[in-house]
Amino acid sequence: MARGKGEDGPHPVDRHVGRRVCEKRISLGYNQSDLGRALGLTFQQVQKYEKGTNRISASKLWDIARFFKVDVAYFFQGLGGAQPGMAEDGAAAFDHDFPATRHTIEIARLAPRLSARQQKLTLDLIREMADRPDSE
């Protein structure tokens, strides 16, 4: 069995940290090869880190944080016990187990600039599009 894999795949913490690395890398405009070169790794190793397939050692996470100019704690932000949002008593916790892409990151970055009405309209549009089979 590969390191970092349990019965259901990679450990949730490894997946979370890898996802944060991926999101930061994309938001800064780097590809996996760029990050790999900076760390002395192949892009395949970076890919495995980002998926959580391979665990990131403490020293390598330190190197990644220095390259991105963030604190190591950045990669653990949002990690904790599954808790509903503050105004959503008893609601399901936020699920962010979707692929991070340049598009999803940009949507998330731009959404707060919209008015509440525009955000609702955009959300309705995305929900409608997500429920429809792809017509292309």
Side-chain angles (χ1 to χ4, degrees):
M1 180 175 359
R3 188 173 161 205
K5 289 202 178 224
E7 289 180 23
D8 298 322
H11 191 280
V13 173
D14 296 327
R15 287 178 42 218
H16 179 86
V17 170
R19 179 176 178 77
R20 296 287 288 169
V21 169
C22 179
E23 288 173 350
K24 190 63 171 175
R25 174 184 59 75
I26 290 172
S27 72
L28 293 173
Y30 294 111
N31 62 38
Q32 290 174 335
S33 295
D34 296 332
L35 179 57
R37 272 191 298 279
L39 301 172
L41 303 170
T42 63
F43 81 89
Q44 292 97 332
Q45 182 61 45
V46 171
Q47 194 173 51
K48 290 177 182 181
Y49 283 164
E50 291 182 356
K51 289 181 179 179
T53 304
N54 287 5
R55 292 181 179 152
I56 304 173
S57 69
S59 59
K60 197 55 74 178
L61 192 60
W62 176 264
D63 291 341
I64 294 169
R66 288 181 61 208
F67 179 73
F68 288 156
K69 296 180 175 57
V70 297
D71 190 74
V72 172
Y74 167 85
F75 302 107
F76 297 94
Q77 289 174 355
L79 187 67
Q83 299 174 2
M86 295 184 330
E88 302 164 316
D89 232 5
F94 176 69
D95 176 21
H96 63 273
D97 195 18
F98 55 86
T101 66
R102 293 186 193 284
H103 300 296
T104 59
I105 291 170
E106 187 171 4
I107 289 168
R109 185 177 56 80
L110 293 174
R113 296 182 188 175
L114 302 174
S115 70
R117 177 167 161 57
Q118 290 172 321
Q119 287 179 20
K120 181 178 181 335
L121 290 170
T122 303
L123 179 59
D124 290 343
L125 175 65
I126 291 171
R127 283 180 177 153
E128 182 179 325
M129 291 171 66
D131 289 340
R132 250 193 280 164
D134 195 10
S135 59
E136 292 182 46

